Amino acid sequence: MAQLVIALDVPESESALSLARELSEFTPWCKVGMELFTLAGPPLLIELKALGCNVFLDLKFYDIPHTVGRAALAAAAMGVDLLTLHCQGGARMCKTAREALADNPARPLLFGVTALTSFMPGEMPGIEAAPADFALSLAKRAFHWGLDGVVCSGLDAARIKKSCPELLCLCPGIRPAGAAADDQCRIVTPAEAVRAGADFLVVGRPVVQAHSPLAAAREILREMA
Ligand code: C5P
């Protein structure tokens, strides 16, 4: 059964905590991204954990293997449940992060970003392949490097699942029918993502900026079911 993850893309702790409190009735998963973590840092993660949330720290690490390995350990020490790094960091970077977490039975799940859902075909610098083919090729590598899953468009999830059934697929770029795409490009509806085999659906603006985030989340869950 696919899980809904709410991207807490708000500029301060109080709104993030009140959203998480309100939405925890529907889903335990929330995502803290670059803006919120830069502003609110580890104390917010501790408060979200205290609320009973599953915390997805979406900092998309991309650096030398040693630095990323140490950062993965730091995230694990904060009780993070799911963590992202860029598959484009390559085999050594991804394997170093995975090995850094190996001895931790309560380690975060490690997900590799394939092609950002905001990329239009032809927009990825220096990459000739279509986003769907590039995502599949990185997903196959991520599986061999020992990652738990990949971040991919719902448009790519079915092909990835067919090729690597054990690899979890986490899909941003989710838009209910008729919702604004914003800066996202390779989007699918909640129902399409579930049909494609997505394990996690990440939704930000369609919930967070809705007049009633609660009603918007409820409607997405209804469509997922
Ligand atoms: O508002 P929206 O639903 O587009 O938010 C999507 C969230 O997922 C954002 O927090 C964004 O940073 C994140 N994300 C993404 N594409 C990726 C990885 C993460 O949109 N490939």
Side-chain angles (χ1 to χ4, degrees):
M1 168 95 178
Q3 306 258 351
L4 175 63
V5 182
I6 306 295
L8 300 175
D9 291 334
V10 291
E12 38 85 31
S13 283
E14 271 323 302
S15 331
L17 286 167
S18 92
L19 264 172
R21 231 176 262 120
E22 204 182 359
L23 294 166
S24 62
E25 182 189 335
F26 295 124
T27 175
W29 281 98
C30 63
K31 180 174 96 74
V32 176
M34 289 179 201
E35 180 191 15
L36 186 58
F37 188 73
T38 302
L39 289 163
L44 173 69
L45 304 188
I46 291 162
E47 290 196 70
L48 288 169
K49 292 296 295 179
L51 284 180
C53 294
N54 295 339
V55 174
F56 165 12
L57 183 63
D58 186 23
L59 298 181
K60 301 185 182 67
F61 295 148
Y62 180 91
D63 208 317
I64 59 170
H66 175 75
T67 302
V68 169
R70 300 290 300 175
L73 268 180
M78 291 187 291
V80 162
D81 297 285
L82 199 157
L83 186 64
T84 46
L85 39 62
H86 272 285
C87 289
Q88 280 183 275
R92 274 197 302 135
M93 187 198 86
C94 292
K95 285 183 182 173
T96 302
R98 181 65 190 82
E99 280 156 20
L101 301 174
D103 295 335
N104 180 350
R107 71 175 178 85
L109 294 171
L110 203 51
F111 275 61
V113 176
T114 56
L116 293 172
T117 42
S118 55
F119 275 129
M120 288 181 280
E123 198 190 354
M124 289 185 291
I127 291 159
E128 301 299 326
D133 296 334
F134 188 61
L136 179 63
S137 133
L138 287 178
K140 287 180 186 166
R141 288 177 168 84
F143 180 66
H144 290 295
W145 299 336
L147 302 195
D148 300 291
V150 286
V151 183
C152 64
S153 165
L155 296 169
D156 305 334
R159 269 175 93 202
I160 290 173
K161 281 285 182 184
K162 192 168 173 212
S163 181
C164 311
E166 288 152 59
L167 196 64
L168 297 170
C169 285
L170 180 147
C171 300
I174 304 292
R175 288 294 181 271
D182 306 302
D183 56 347
Q184 297 283 14
C185 179
R186 304 185 64 242
I187 58 175
V188 298
T189 65
E192 285 166 343
V194 170
R195 271 199 296 274
D199 300 283
F200 295 93
L201 276 63
V202 178
V203 183
R205 285 161 289 187
V207 167
V208 171
Q209 295 182 1
H211 177 63
S212 164
L214 213 63
R218 189 186 289 125
E219 182 52 29
I220 289 170
L221 282 166
R222 192 197 57 74
E223 191 180 324
M224 287 169 65

